[in-house]
Amino acid sequence: TMASATNYPKIVLEGGGPLIRGTAHMCIAVQDLEKELSFYRDLLGLRVAMDHTAPDGTKMVLLAASGVEKPGGYAVELLRFPQQRPLPEDHNAPAWLGFKHVAFAVADLDGLYSRLLAAGVQVMGEPRSPMAGIPRILNLLDPEGNRLELIEVG
């Protein structure tokens, strides 16, 4: 087990279930909403579940996987702020702290890999299994350089 510098109190739910039941979605602040929307909707196959503009001009698009209808069951939330501050060029370098990638489970990794190549998406190698017993994966960048991982599932 990993040593902890903080001793947080254990949370026990009534009935015993886990406190966190899964991941609801990831949120990406984007510069070019249309380009990112096209990537996640048209190439990765997510569907627009909600499109909203806030009074301050912030644009929000929620994208869901097909068949996901539950509240909070979105895969991706794209935000376009009226005023932005871009990330440094090397924000995906291994030494940067924080999130390194978001992974999506996909059924046809080879078919999606072909579509991504045909669309000119920057992929990092070919689909491969990183080690014995691990499903095949593919790493790639979305149009604004956010790192994604696709994991092949049965």
Side-chain angles (χ1 to χ4, degrees):
T1 63
M2 187 178 279
S4 174
T6 306
N7 292 317
Y8 293 111
K10 276 202 167 189
I11 297 174
V12 179
L13 294 179
E14 192 174 316
L19 179 64
I20 295 180
R21 308 273 169 100
T23 304
H25 68 270
M26 68 169 186
C27 178
I28 307 171
V30 302
Q31 188 169 4
D32 187 333
L33 181 61
E34 290 307 314
K35 187 183 274 188
E36 290 287 291
L37 180 57
S38 178
F39 176 82
Y40 286 97
R41 181 192 57 215
D42 303 336
L43 273 175
L44 296 187
L46 298 175
R47 64 175 178 75
V48 174
M50 185 184 352
D51 188 333
H52 174 72
T53 302
D56 70 355
T58 299
K59 184 90 170 141
M60 176 181 66
V61 178
L62 297 176
L63 297 150
S66 294
V68 175
E69 302 297 333
K70 64 182 189 232
Y74 307 108
V76 177
E77 176 183 0
L78 299 176
L79 288 178
R80 171 69 169 92
F81 293 106
Q83 297 176 349
Q84 304 172 345
R85 192 174 89 201
L87 287 170
E89 283 293 317
D90 64 345
H91 76 277
N92 268 319
W96 278 93
L97 298 177
F99 293 102
K100 300 316 290 176
H101 70 263
V102 173
F104 292 103
V106 300
D108 180 11
L109 187 58
D110 292 321
L112 187 50
Y113 175 64
S114 296
R115 286 184 63 193
L116 295 168
L117 287 179
V121 172
Q122 185 178 346
V123 297
M124 299 157 173
E126 297 179 353
R128 62 176 176 75
S129 177
M131 63 184 82
I134 303 293
R136 292 187 323 141
I137 65 168
L138 175 68
N139 289 288
L140 61 132
L141 299 179
D142 77 4
E144 293 190 0
N146 298 298
R147 191 173 181 148
L148 305 176
E149 181 177 281
L150 305 178
I151 301 174
E152 188 171 55
V153 296

